[in-house]
């Protein structure tokens, strides 16, 4: 990979800016932070740090652009997103390589992430002609009720390093067709991806009078996210990241009666029962556990296996883990890249040590790899669900194997964590499948059957309950979070009947 050529193709200069006001202008900020290549530990580029003034400039652009953008008919807003998707299609492989370079996810996953942007763009374009509400029968004579969805305002979008492109697209493309403007604060661990995307967005924005619809703030100071959370001009704060950070930001938004859309941590389990087809389940489990080196919010962290099949599952997983090639994320045959940084490696080692101290048995991995960069071995451990380390989300490729005897117990274990994002059941038993999906089954936002916990497609609503934060993004009717609903009662008659049958007669 020739980084210089890639950077030149993606418009990434030696001196990268701190903020973009969405009209092609960039601001330098003050001071620099470094984007690092996690596969080597070497710096990729220095990026400007956005100051309070940069933050104010980006926000003011977004605020000023909103009434103009709101006035553009929704299907025409869709054309802006469509053209941006065309740019993404043309640059899919380059952008995918940049995602791999910056986050360490393997190339197939990097390219897949750009594909996910293209998919949500297509979805948003279709949606731009369907942002309707129902007309409802009124209880009053010669009346009808009507719902409309109106643009909401400025959306603050705070994203995490692990999906540095797709999660912005889920938010930004829906918000844009809904008539909103978006201020993006990406993770300081993946700023180059954001800069490259902003360049494309700026170019397309010029052709669509959409300057200021997408603005960008870069920096490694949590004050930037706090500024978006506290500013009353930010109608919706969409936050993707840790539960701890979400719990800090959400009250700030609530205190000013703003809206929050939270996608916080997951602690996802896959259940394997006596009847499960392991040829189907194992690849799903391995991809779920080690994809993005275990740094997806949908990563399979707990494998709940019927006790009678535990030895077989452990042996086959151990064999599969032995085949996983860990290394350069851009190399063709690599299946697992590095963790994002040195701190992530520390967290991985601490979790393995804690699980061992609690009585856990290491079946595979458990160690850091002796080579430059932040590599660890994919790890399998026997563990118990109630251990504090198992209850936590450690963003690393550790899969805890936990046995069960009765199916009720499997469901209870699935649900017995603070988080509620994704879950999966591998079974051939129809009744169990239905029980897993019923109200008393999985308590997660995502409950898959004979498919893994990670790798959701954009067509469904994405998000989860409990400590995951309750938000829903991407497909289905998630767009409603980006609009405000207005209900109208319309009287076509000459009388004024009141609802609830109230009689209210003024004296003549
Ligand atoms: C995330 O990890 O924040 O379902 C998003 C998946 C991806 C998205 C993950 N489509 O694994």
């Amino acid at each position: 990979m020739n980084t210089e050529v890639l950077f030149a193709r993606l418009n990434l200069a030696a001196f990268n800016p701190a903020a973009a006001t969405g009209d092609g202008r960039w601001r330098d900020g003050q001071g620099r932070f470094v984007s690092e290549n996690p596969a080597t530990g070497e710096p990729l580029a220095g990026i400007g740090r956005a100051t309070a003034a940069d933050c104010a400039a980006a926000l003011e652009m977004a605020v000023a652009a909103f009434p103009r953008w709101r006035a553009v008919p929704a299907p025409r807003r869709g054309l802006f997103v469509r053209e941006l998707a065309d740019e993404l299609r043309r640059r899919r492989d380059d952008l995918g390589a940049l995602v791999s370079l910056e986050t360490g996810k393997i190339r197939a996953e990097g390219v897949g992430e750009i594909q996910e942007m293209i998919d949500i763009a297509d979805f948003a374009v279709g949606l731009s002609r369907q942002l309707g509400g129902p007309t409802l029968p009124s209880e009053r004579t010669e009346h009808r009720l009507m719902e409309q969805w109106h643009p909401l305002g400025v959306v603050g979008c705070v994203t995490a390093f692990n999906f540095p492109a797709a999660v912005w697209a889920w938010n930004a493309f829906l918000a844009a067709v809904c008539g909103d403007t978006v201020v993006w604060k990406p993770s300081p661990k993946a700023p180059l991806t954001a800069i490259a995307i902003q360049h494309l967005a700026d170019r397309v924005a010029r052709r669509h009078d959409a300057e200021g619809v997408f603005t960008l703030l870069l920096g490694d100071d949590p004050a930037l996210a706090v500024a978006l959370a506290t500013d009353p001009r930010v109608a919706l704060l969409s936050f993707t990241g840790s539960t701890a950070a979400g719990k800090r930001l959400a009250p700030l938004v609530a205190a000013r009666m703003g809206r929050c859309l939270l996608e916080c941590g997951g602690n996802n389990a896959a259940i394997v029962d006596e009847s499960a087809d392991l040829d189907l389940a194992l690849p799903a489990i391995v991809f779920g556990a080690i994809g993005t080196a275990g740094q997806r919010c949908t990563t399979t962290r707990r494998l709940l296996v019927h006790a009678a099949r535990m030895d077989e599952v452990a042996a086959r997983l151990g064999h599969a883990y032995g085949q996983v090639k860990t290394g350069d994320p851009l190399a063709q045959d690599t299946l697992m890249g590095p963790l994002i940084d040195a701190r992530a490696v520390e967290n991985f080692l601490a979790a393995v040590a804690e699980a061992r101290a609690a009585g856990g048995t290491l079946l595979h991995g458990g160690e850091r790899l002796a080579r430059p960069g932040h590599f660890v071995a994919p790890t399998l451990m026997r563990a118990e669900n109630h251990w504090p380390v198992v209850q936590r989300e450690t963003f690393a490729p550790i899969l805890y194997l936990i046995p069960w005897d009765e199916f009720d117990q499997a469901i209870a274990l699935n649900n017995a964590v603070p988080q509620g994002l994704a879950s999966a059941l591998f079974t051939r038993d129809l009744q169990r499948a239905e029980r897993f999906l019923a109200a008393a089954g999985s308590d997660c936002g995502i409950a898959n059957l004979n498919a893994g916990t990670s790798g959701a497609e954009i067509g469904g609503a994405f998000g989860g309950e409990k400590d995951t934060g309750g938000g829903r993004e991407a497909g289905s009717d998630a767009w409603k979070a980006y609009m405000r609903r207005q209900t109208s009662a319309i009287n076509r008659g000459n009388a004024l009947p009141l609802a609830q049958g109230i009689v209210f007669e003024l004296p003549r």
Side-chain angles (χ1 to χ4, degrees), residues 16 35-36 103 141 199 236 240 274 295 300 322 380 406 422 473:
N16 290 296
S35 168
E36 196 193 86
T103 67
T141 307
H199 278 301
L236 171 71
T240 304
E274 306 92 302
Q295 301 168 108
T300 310
L380 282 177
E406 300 295 330
E473 290 174 332

Side-chain angles (χ1 to χ4, degrees), residues 319-343:
H319 177 75
Y321 271 48
Q323 314 288 307
V324 170
K325 190 162 178 296
T326 303
D328 177 3
L330 287 156
Q332 202 58 49
D333 54 349
T334 303
L335 283 185
M336 193 179 99
L339 290 177
I340 188 68
D341 58 14
R343 184 141 163 237

Side-chain angles (χ1 to χ4, degrees), residues 116 162-163 167 170 240 295-298 454-456 462:
E116 195 165 348
N162 64 335
F163 275 82
V167 170
W170 292 353
T240 304
Q295 301 168 108
R296 290 188 185 215
C297 54
T298 52
S454 80
F462 182 93

Side-chain angles (χ1 to χ4, degrees), residues 39-362:
T40 61
E42 282 162 7
L44 284 170
I47 320 288
R49 275 200 179 97
T51 61
D54 298 321
C55 194
L59 246 169
E60 272 154 30
M61 273 302 279
V63 169
F66 173 60
R68 274 187 282 116
W69 188 239
R70 178 177 62 185
V72 174
R76 272 182 33 213
R77 300 195 294 249
L79 293 182
F80 166 53
V81 172
R82 195 183 84 180
E83 270 188 45
L84 186 43
D86 289 343
E87 296 277 349
L88 293 169
R89 278 188 173 86
R90 276 194 282 279
R91 290 170 177 76
R92 191 181 73 150
D93 291 348
D94 280 349
L95 282 168
L98 178 64
V99 168
S100 289
L101 198 63
E102 213 172 29
T103 67
K105 67 171 75 175
I106 61 171
R107 192 191 278 256
E109 291 185 87
V111 172
E113 178 159 0
I114 308 307
Q115 185 59 46
E116 195 165 348
M117 298 180 84
I118 295 166
D119 294 343
I120 191 72
D122 286 351
F123 182 90
V125 174
L127 197 61
S128 71
R129 290 182 183 268
Q130 303 178 68
L131 299 169
T135 291
L136 300 158
S138 169
E139 67 187 55
R140 285 167 278 184
T141 307
E142 295 193 295
H143 280 57
R144 70 182 172 95
L145 298 178
M146 180 181 77
E147 269 186 22
Q148 286 190 95
W149 291 90
H150 292 310
L152 186 64
V154 176
V155 176
C157 181
V158 178
T159 57
F161 77 84
N162 64 335
F163 275 82
V167 170
W168 172 77
W170 292 353
N171 285 280
F173 293 167
L174 290 196
V177 299
C178 289
D180 302 333
T181 60
V182 182
V183 183
W184 183 14
K185 210 294 284 175
S187 162
K189 293 167 194 167
L192 292 174
T193 302
I195 294 172
I197 291 168
Q198 182 72 36
H199 278 301
L200 298 182
D202 282 354
R203 191 176 314 157
V204 181
R206 237 168 282 145
R207 300 199 288 264
H208 285 267
D209 290 330
E211 283 102 338
V213 171
F214 293 148
T215 52
L216 175 65
L217 284 173
L218 297 151
D220 55 357
D221 186 344
L224 286 177
V226 171
L228 295 176
T230 49
D231 197 304
R233 294 171 298 174
V234 176
L236 171 71
L237 182 75
S238 173
F239 170 80
T240 304
S242 70
T243 294
K247 283 184 174 174
R248 280 195 298 274
L249 290 172
L252 301 176
V253 182
R256 60 175 177 82
M257 299 291 195
R259 282 199 210 171
C260 240
L261 202 175
L262 296 171
E263 297 290 356
C264 301
N267 191 353
N268 318 296
I271 302 174
V272 174
D273 82 354
E274 306 92 302
S275 72
D277 174 354
L278 288 190
D279 291 337
L280 182 149
L282 284 172
I285 292 162
V286 178
F287 176 70
I290 70 160
T292 321
Q295 301 168 108
R296 290 188 185 215
C297 54
T298 52
T299 292
T300 310
R301 307 200 177 282
R302 299 175 295 135
L303 189 61
L304 311 176
V305 187
H306 187 270
R309 299 197 82 178
M310 182 57 98
D311 290 345
E312 181 193 3
V313 168
R316 286 187 64 175
L317 271 179
H319 177 75
Y321 271 48
Q323 314 288 307
V324 170
K325 190 162 178 296
T326 303
D328 177 3
L330 287 156
Q332 202 58 49
D333 54 349
T334 303
L335 283 185
M336 193 179 99
L339 290 177
I340 188 68
D341 58 14
R343 184 141 163 237
V345 175
E346 297 304 320
N347 290 342
F348 163 84
L349 292 171
V352 172
E354 188 180 332
R356 291 183 88 161
T361 319
L362 197 56

